[in-house]
């Protein structure tokens, strides 16, 4: 019952009205044009579902409610897998969101699985953007912090900063997150010169 309640609060209360036209029986079309229009309409509905589920999951993570974020993120993963395929690079941001939410609930083993899936997809995508690789390294860095492996975290966060700078420029807002998390680690290690330098950079 508690799982159903969490699921309802998280996502199903928002998307129930969108699910019926997507999951229900599709109409039978008599012409090629009607079939094409029907496919396009179904795709638009699926994309709408994905957008609602993804934004809802992200909102819960930002609000510090990782448990509520997971059902919404799983719905986004389900429909995006249907649209793009199970090994599409489009799934990586959702896997990273699921890993962050799972880490927030203390389920580190599950978070590691989501991160491994994201990493595998990125490795299988030779033309993967530096921006997405940067997000992957940030996710790996935050996971390493949760595990208490600060040296590994610094390695991933440094890669995050490098890739974000390559994609967006040294003074971009996208770079600041990596610097901020690195600064927190140095602060925790009482390396105040390095921490203050990075906080100033942020």
């Amino acid at each position: 019952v508690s799982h159903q309640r969490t699921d309802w609060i998280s996502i199903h209360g928002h998307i129930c009205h969108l699910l019926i036209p997507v999951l229900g029986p599709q109409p039978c079309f008599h012409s090629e044009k009607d079939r094409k229009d029907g496919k396009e309409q179904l795709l638009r509905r699926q994309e709408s579902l994905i957008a609602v589920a993804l934004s809802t999951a992200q909102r819960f993570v930002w609000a510090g409610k990782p448990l509520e974020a997971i059902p919404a993120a799983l719905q986004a993963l389900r429909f995006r897998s249907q649209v793009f395929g199970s090994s599409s690079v489009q799934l990586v941001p959702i896997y990273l969101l699921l890993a962050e939410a799972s880490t927030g609930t203390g389920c580190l083993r599950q978070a590691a699985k989501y991160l491994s899936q994201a990493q595998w997809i990125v490795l299988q995508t030779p033309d993967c953007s530096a921006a997405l690789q940067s997000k992957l390294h940030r996710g790996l860095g935050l996971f390493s912090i949760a595990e208490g492996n600060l040296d590994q975290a610094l390695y991933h966060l440094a890669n995050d900063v490098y890739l974000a700078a390559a994609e967006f420029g040294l003074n971009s807002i996208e770079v600041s997150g990596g610097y901020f998390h690195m600064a927190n680690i140095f602060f925790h290690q009482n390396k105040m010169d390095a921490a203050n330098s990075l906080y100033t950079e942020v």
Side-chain angles (χ1 to χ4, degrees):
V1 173
S2 66
H3 282 294
Q4 287 177 336
R5 185 170 175 275
T6 301
D7 193 56
W8 179 260
I9 292 167
S10 170
I11 190 62
H12 274 99
H14 304 286
I15 65 169
C16 255
H17 64 288
L18 299 171
L19 284 172
I20 295 168
V22 171
L23 298 178
Q26 297 303 308
C28 183
F29 298 110
H30 299 290
S31 72
E32 185 61 35
K33 182 183 182 303
D34 289 344
R35 273 192 291 276
K36 186 181 175 187
D37 290 345
K39 276 187 177 180
E40 288 175 0
Q41 187 179 39
L42 178 61
L43 183 62
R44 282 195 299 272
R45 286 173 173 165
Q46 287 173 322
E47 287 173 346
S48 177
L49 263 173
I50 294 164
V52 170
L54 202 49
S55 64
T56 301
Q58 188 66 75
R59 195 166 59 248
F60 277 123
V61 167
W62 286 338
K65 298 177 178 178
L67 188 63
E68 287 88 340
I70 291 171
L74 286 172
Q75 285 294 332
L77 181 67
R78 174 189 178 191
F79 286 105
R80 195 168 270 186
S81 296
Q82 287 178 3
V83 173
F84 295 104
S86 59
S87 58
S88 167
V89 75
Q90 299 280 344
L91 304 183
V92 171
I94 304 175
Y95 279 124
L96 296 177
L97 189 58
L98 281 164
E100 187 177 354
S102 297
T103 302
T105 61
C107 299
L108 296 185
R109 183 175 292 181
Q110 188 61 49
K113 287 180 182 178
Y114 290 132
L115 285 169
S116 293
Q117 192 65 35
Q119 199 168 20
W120 183 84
I121 292 172
V122 167
L123 289 171
Q124 298 297 311
T125 311
D127 58 346
C128 184
S129 70
L132 194 56
Q133 292 180 61
S134 166
K135 287 180 182 176
L136 172 62
H137 278 287
R138 185 170 303 177
L140 290 165
L142 293 175
F143 177 74
S144 297
I145 292 171
E147 281 192 314
N149 191 343
L150 299 185
D151 289 338
Q152 186 73 9
L154 286 170
Y155 166 79
H156 285 300
L157 292 169
N159 277 309
D160 166 25
V161 167
Y162 172 78
L163 291 160
E167 181 81 7
F168 302 106
L170 279 171
N171 295 319
S172 64
I173 193 74
E174 288 82 3
V175 177
S176 63
Y179 281 140
F180 179 74
H181 294 301
M182 289 174 76
N184 287 343
I185 291 172
F186 287 128
F187 182 85
H188 179 74
Q189 294 174 333
N190 209 27
K191 297 176 180 176
M192 297 311 296
D193 287 345
N196 287 330
S197 174
L198 289 170
Y199 283 135
T200 302
E201 193 66 33
V202 174

